[in-house]
Amino acid sequence: MRKIVKYMGLVAGLLASVHIKAQKAAPIVVQVNEIRAPVSPTMYGIFFEDINFAADGGLYAELVKNRSFEFAEPLMGWDIRIRDNADGNLLIINRGPAYDVNPRFARVTVNNDTEVLAITNEGFRGMGIRKGEEYDFSLMAKMQDGKESALTIEILDENDQLLGKTYLTINSMQWRPFHASLVASGTSKKAKLKLSFTKKAVTDVDMISLFPKNTWMGRPGGLRKDLVQMLADLKPGFIRFPGGCIVEGRDLANRYQWKNTVGDISNRKLIMNRWNVEFKNRPAKDYFQSFGLGFYEYFLLADDLGAEPLPILNCGMACQYNSAEVAPLETLDPYIRDALDLVEFANGPVDTHWGKLRAAMGHPAPFHLKMMGVGNEQWGPQYVERYKIFAKAIHDRYPEIKLISSVGPHAGGALFDYLLPEMTALKADIIDEHYYMPPSFFQDNARRYDHYDRNSPKIFAGEYAAHVKGKEGPEKSSWQAALSEAAFMTGLERNADIVVMSSYAPLLAHVDAWQWAPDLVWFDNLQHYGTPSYYVQQLFSNNKGTDVVSIQQAKQVIAGQDSLYATAVIDKVSKELIIKIVNTSSSEKQQDIALEGIRKIGPDMKVVTLRSGDLDAVNSIQSPENLAPVETLVKINGKKFSLVLPPYSFHVLRLNMY
Ligand code: AHR
């Protein structure tokens, strides 16, 4: 956030540079002592899905792609010099079903001491390497013929300039890990890793890995620090994982199975990422899930962020847009077992089967799992049948666990209209509404929850983003989208008695490897930026307060009249009043504000503004803060003041209460 800390005598003078001729409207009245509802601590969270290379190639800091040769094409991502001739060869060996989890490895044969066999990994659209930083190289290896082999490890930039070099001797007859470290002498976003076998020998290699040492919390084999920091800065109330459609899989075999994502990384069975083939116009044939970022790491991340973990589990239904495969009801047991065992993995004592694994992985303390999702965007009677069985089994054993249930892929239309009453009748805890709609939908739906039946389940606005037509990729993450999301979010907050959770989706996207846009944070191999929508999320989340209070104009909630949207909360802990106002119109407004039901406020008011006169404005790798919040301190005298709201602007006002 850009901070401009200056005191201004008159609030009406705020942003005076754009104060030309403003129309006057009825005053906005905040009734500070009229508490409408507590704001749930989980009100604003994050939705993580491995889409757009968000996990492998993104948050998971591994730099080597296809490290264990388990991609559909075992040498994808690897360039082999001397593939097979008299001087040497490289063979992919598949040990078959007995080694189901990680069957393949590479056998490198060098027949001649003067020959070199080199294999080079291209990384995920290159590797991000920073000058002066240390990198941990490792691999599993063994000698095949009793002769030691010599390995030269080099990091090269895109022009084959050397950025780091080290050596290893492979001298074990049994598989074992070998480690080396390198310090980079230069920076590159498109670096590669070259391994040269320089001695006459036969060497078996697997799990070839290169990680920056400088990961989030310095954890070996951990997460990309800058990206996790972006998530931490959102102060999320929860983190939903692992998605999204990835939970469902294109068919049931391709579904996300958490048990395959925990334990030693070499025992996590890789599968194709469903986004590999989902969009014909955005194919990603090198998109697989290594599960280096698996359920343990998600729980740990939630812990680090102080966010409630929210795993979503497959309920015996594959993606209904794809195969729509379902598991017959009499075969649901393994799916339900997965759900029950997950609670044990997260919360169980260390002497239970799954609690023991959690402890062995480094976290004997429980993760305090309180909720989980049953299916993602499921619909139809098949979902209701399966939900009932899941809900009974989970609640019988763990009555304290709240369940998130689907109401279909859209928060409207026939699928939704069927499921909402069904879920209400079943007394579902929380329903998960999704909206990927044009900006106008978000502005028009700021009142969506004002008249929702208060006896229906609580609401999780689980996936949403405004989709601007006619834009592609990063250009879609525009100010127009963000501004309309801000307008909509005032409606979520005003209805905090029923809306208890919300998350924008998707979260992360690699600028060179995305499938879906818009997204909240874009990144390349070294840099990242938050979109305007990111800053909207951050401003709501970091200013959520503890209780919603009344804010009205002409005795009406402020939800689009004259293009204004507003909400107000108090923070009982910090003793502050927080007002959020969105102006979606192209004209500037001068707005009187009156605070009632409070003894004294001020004398300073913090005003954070996010605005641009250009609805197409975006941030980018080159200009990451083209549009970012600006903070101003102003003096107010009294409980009535006037604000100038420039066109297309979002403001958060914070005032001390006495
Ligand atoms: O967020 C991208 C996708 O949109 C999610 O995987 C899915 O749940 C929704 O359709």
Side-chain angles (χ1 to χ4, degrees):
M1 180 175 326
R2 279 176 264 163
K3 280 196 181 176
I4 303 174
V5 181
K6 61 181 171 194
Y7 285 93
M8 302 176 97
L10 276 176
V11 181
L14 175 66
L15 305 170
S17 56
V18 288
H19 182 180
I20 307 164
K21 250 199 185 140
Q23 307 161 352
K24 238 185 165 167
I28 286 178
V29 179
V30 184
Q31 197 66 44
V32 183
N33 58 353
E34 209 176 291
I35 292 185
R36 290 287 165 90
V39 180
S40 160
T42 55
M43 184 70 181
Y44 303 110
I46 52 180
F47 163 99
F48 183 90
E49 175 164 14
D50 187 5
I51 182 171
N52 304 316
F53 283 61
D56 290 316
L59 200 60
Y60 183 51
E62 172 65 272
L63 296 170
V64 175
K65 183 170 73 182
N66 192 13
R67 64 185 173 193
S68 59
F69 309 102
E70 301 299 338
F71 280 20
E73 291 173 31
L75 285 172
M76 184 176 271
W78 292 96
D79 180 61
I80 314 296
R81 206 167 64 81
I82 310 190
R83 178 74 197 279
D84 187 8
N85 65 23
D87 295 317
N89 65 59
L90 181 142
L91 206 60
I92 293 295
I93 298 190
N94 188 329
R95 290 168 283 193
Y99 291 82
D100 175 45
V101 172
N102 182 3
R104 297 193 191 122
F105 63 88
R107 174 160 296 163
V108 180
T109 302
V110 178
N111 290 330
N112 186 329
D113 270 336
T114 58
E115 199 42 69
V116 172
L117 190 142
I119 63 175
T120 304
N121 190 273
E122 67 188 16
F124 299 90
R125 313 297 190 267
M127 296 177 180
I129 298 290
R130 267 200 188 84
K131 183 174 177 176
E133 293 221 345
E134 196 174 340
Y135 293 84
D136 290 331
F137 171 83
S138 65
L139 83 170
M140 295 293 293
K142 67 177 174 66
M143 307 181 286
Q144 172 58 18
D145 62 355
K147 290 198 195 82
E148 281 186 3
S149 73
L151 194 54
T152 304
I153 300 130
E154 294 165 295
I155 301 175
L156 306 172
D157 74 7
E158 55 275 43
N159 300 315
D160 287 333
Q161 295 302 305
L162 187 66
L163 301 181
K165 189 174 190 167
T166 188
Y167 304 92
L168 273 176
T169 301
I170 308 299
N171 53 7
S172 166
M173 289 297 289
Q174 308 301 326
W175 283 108
R176 77 163 179 84
F178 291 83
H179 297 271
S181 83
L182 305 90
V183 175
S185 58
T187 295
S188 168
K189 282 185 182 179
K190 301 273 180 193
K192 48 200 170 191
L193 175 73
K194 182 174 175 187
L195 309 185
S196 302
F197 297 80
T198 57
K199 224 171 131 178
K200 182 176 176 205
V202 182
T203 319
D204 292 342
V205 294
D206 200 0
M207 295 300 290
I208 300 170
S209 169
L210 185 69
F211 263 94
K213 205 171 194 71
N214 189 14
T215 55
W216 171 253
M217 301 237 174
R219 291 191 186 115
L223 305 183
R224 204 174 124 172
K225 195 175 172 177
D226 63 327
L227 295 182
V228 182
Q229 190 59 55
M230 284 298 275
L231 308 188
D233 291 345
L234 288 171
K235 300 198 179 130
F238 65 90
I239 173 166
R240 170 185 176 145
F241 56 87
C245 291
I246 210 152
V247 171
E248 306 164 42
R250 293 181 62 80
D251 53 24
L252 285 171
N254 182 236
R255 74 189 190 275
Y256 196 103
Q257 300 187 58
W258 75 266
K259 287 175 180 164
N260 294 344
T261 77
V262 294
D264 189 280
I265 54 164
S266 60
N267 287 326
R268 301 184 188 182
K269 189 180 163 96
L270 176 141
I271 59 170
M272 184 191 79
N273 186 305
R274 57 154 300 127
W275 300 105
N276 181 314
V277 287
E278 184 67 18
F279 297 124
K280 287 198 172 58
N281 59 334
R282 303 287 313 166
K285 63 181 181 147
D286 58 342
Y287 202 0
F288 288 78
Q289 299 180 79
S290 74
F291 298 119
L293 169 55
F295 259 42
Y296 175 79
E297 290 77 18
Y298 284 127
F299 277 112
L300 205 56
L301 177 62
D303 219 36
D304 292 346
L305 301 180
E308 296 292 343
L310 170 53
I312 308 285
L313 297 191
N314 187 294
C315 64
M317 299 179 79
C319 181
Q320 286 162 280
Y321 289 116
N322 300 147
S323 68
E325 242 182 9
V326 292
L329 297 184
E330 62 280 11
T331 67
L332 272 188
D333 270 4
Y335 296 81
I336 291 168
R337 193 69 270 148
D338 279 357
L340 297 175
D341 288 345
L342 183 62
V343 184
E344 187 178 294
F345 178 72
N347 297 349
V350 297
D351 55 1
T352 59
H353 178 80
W354 291 104
K356 191 171 168 186
L357 176 61
R358 182 191 72 240
M361 291 184 76
H363 205 280
F367 282 122
H368 304 293
L369 175 68
K370 300 190 184 90
M371 52 190 171
M372 68 166 80
V374 179
N376 177 46
E377 284 182 340
Q378 278 27 95
W379 68 74
Q382 297 80 7
Y383 178 63
V384 178
E385 286 173 323
R386 283 161 184 76
Y387 172 80
K388 280 186 198 160
I389 298 173
F390 265 80
K392 176 158 179 12
I394 297 167
H395 281 152
D396 277 359
R397 179 89 177 268
Y398 299 110
E400 70 284 8
I401 297 283
K402 295 261 180 272
L403 294 183
I404 313 288
S405 55
S406 171
V407 277
H410 312 291
L415 302 175
F416 177 80
D417 292 344
Y418 165 74
L419 272 181
L420 183 62
E422 289 284 335
M423 286 300 140
T424 304
L426 287 172
K427 299 200 183 317
D429 297 321
I430 303 172
I431 56 168
D432 178 13
E433 297 195 354
H434 293 185
Y435 0 75
Y436 294 104
M437 302 296 276
S440 55
F441 169 93
F442 287 88
Q443 295 182 25
D444 297 346
N445 276 270
R447 286 174 188 273
R448 179 180 175 92
Y449 298 110
D450 289 358
H451 306 294
Y452 245 57
D453 178 1
R454 266 40 198 175
N455 294 317
S456 66
K458 300 283 187 211
I459 308 293
F460 171 26
E463 293 186 29
Y464 66 89
H467 282 225
V468 179
K469 277 218 170 85
K471 305 266 179 202
E472 270 285 294
E475 296 298 310
K476 245 179 141 73
S477 303
S478 70
W479 178 227
Q480 185 186 8
L483 186 67
S484 60
E485 288 152 10
F488 178 72
M489 289 173 80
T490 61
L492 300 180
E493 193 166 274
R494 181 172 53 253
N495 289 286
D497 62 320
I498 184 160
V499 182
V500 291
M501 301 170 76
S502 64
S503 46
Y504 179 102
L507 183 61
L508 295 172
H510 192 302
V511 290
D512 297 328
W514 58 273
Q515 293 79 48
W516 180 294
D519 303 283
L520 209 58
V521 174
W522 288 84
F523 61 92
D524 65 16
N525 288 338
L526 287 178
Q527 289 163 287
H528 66 266
Y529 66 91
T531 59
S533 296
Y534 173 89
Y535 291 113
V536 165
Q537 292 294 320
Q538 189 182 42
L539 287 176
F540 271 88
S541 183
N542 290 1
N543 294 288
K544 68 173 175 287
T546 54
D547 297 82
V548 181
V549 296
S550 165
I551 180 167
Q552 296 193 329
Q553 189 176 36
K555 297 199 173 6
Q556 299 288 318
V557 298
I558 304 161
Q561 313 90 300
D562 201 19
S563 305
L564 282 191
Y565 301 78
T567 183
V569 294
I570 56 168
D571 190 318
K572 282 181 174 162
V573 182
S574 65
K575 298 199 170 38
E576 284 172 290
L577 169 66
I578 307 167
I579 303 171
K580 304 181 184 84
I581 308 181
V582 182
N583 175 14
T584 58
S585 85
S586 56
S587 52
E588 176 185 284
K589 295 176 194 304
Q590 179 155 348
Q591 185 59 58
D592 291 339
I593 298 185
L595 309 181
E596 296 180 358
I598 182 163
R599 211 162 50 85
K600 201 174 151 213
I601 53 111
D604 297 330
M605 175 164 74
K606 190 161 94 181
V607 182
V608 185
T609 299
L610 191 60
R611 62 178 274 245
S612 170
D614 176 8
L615 287 177
D616 290 334
V618 292
N619 292 334
S620 63
I621 294 284
Q622 295 72 27
S623 189
E625 293 201 347
N626 177 41
L627 211 154
V630 175
E631 191 179 305
T632 317
L633 260 190
V634 296
K635 283 232 181 287
I636 49 168
N637 42 19
K639 291 185 270 180
K640 289 193 173 148
F641 54 89
S642 188
L643 268 189
V644 174
L645 306 172
Y648 309 135
S649 58
F650 170 34
H651 311 264
V652 179
L653 321 178
R654 279 190 92 115
L655 303 109
N656 290 321
M657 304 187 296
Y658 301 96

